[in-house]
Amino acid sequence: MVHVGIGYDVHQLVEGRRLVLGGVEIPHDRGLDGHSDADALMHAITDAVLGAVGEVDIGHLFPNTDPTWKGAPSRVFLEEAARRVAARGGRIVNIDATLVAERPKIFPHITAMKANIASALGLPPTRVGVKATTNETMGFVGRQEGIAAMAVAAVDLPEPAA
Ligand code: MG
């Protein structure tokens, strides 16, 4: 039976940080603030996968009070979510995600992001959707105070024995 999950994440744009989205380091005058590499796209997808299998969210699995995850590449969070799906005998069907960023331009990096996400989840890139949009200058994204990401995941899980 196919289960769906949803994920959302946002991080502040600050000076003196790298901008990493979908595992791609994007040249920009500011980067996302956070305990790990603050890859909002991978975080949203991690939560979508965890949600589909009814697990606790990324903040509880990888607390920002734990020095283990300081500066961690967010790929490890995706890999752990995929491991939990496999442990349940499940299979990720597909992922879809949208980045909401006023700047910089995301489109040139989408293919590389899909490849990184797919490889962390053990999927072919054709099963990973990544789109990007601006917020039309409105709100915190429009003022370039932060970048947001949302994602859904479909996971095929075995039927529980009756
Ligand atoms: Mg996050």
Side-chain angles (χ1 to χ4, degrees):
M1 185 182 284
V2 173
H3 297 237
V4 298
I6 185 171
Y8 171 81
D9 195 30
V10 61
H11 284 265
Q12 279 186 12
L13 274 168
V14 296
E15 288 182 2
R17 290 271 302 183
R18 300 181 307 144
L19 177 61
V20 180
L21 289 168
V24 178
E25 184 164 347
I26 301 174
H28 195 45
D29 56 357
R30 286 173 298 156
L32 294 178
D33 197 17
H35 185 67
S36 66
D37 64 5
D39 188 330
L41 177 58
M42 282 197 172
H43 294 184
I45 294 170
T46 299
D47 259 352
V49 173
L50 292 171
V53 293
E55 297 265 1
V56 297
D57 62 62
I58 186 172
H60 285 85
L61 275 188
F62 307 102
N64 62 11
T65 49
D66 185 341
T68 311
W69 312 118
K70 182 147 178 61
S74 294
R75 173 184 184 96
V76 300
F77 308 147
L78 272 182
E79 288 169 349
E80 174 60 19
R83 196 192 64 74
R84 286 173 184 244
V85 169
R88 296 273 299 276
R91 185 181 61 91
I92 298 170
V93 178
N94 77 301
I95 299 293
D96 193 24
T98 297
L99 267 169
V100 193
E102 206 64 31
R103 282 193 339 110
K105 279 263 174 284
I106 302 297
F107 186 76
H109 309 287
I110 294 247
T111 302
M113 290 178 183
K114 285 181 181 177
N116 288 341
I117 293 157
S119 108
L121 293 172
L123 292 175
T126 49
R127 290 178 180 256
V128 177
V130 178
K131 297 92 62 200
T133 185
T134 70
N135 221 33
E136 296 284 342
T137 75
M138 294 179 288
F140 70 85
V141 170
R143 293 188 297 270
Q144 299 176 48
E145 294 167 5
I147 287 176
M150 58 194 93
V152 290
V155 175
D156 196 6
L157 286 176
E159 300 268 2

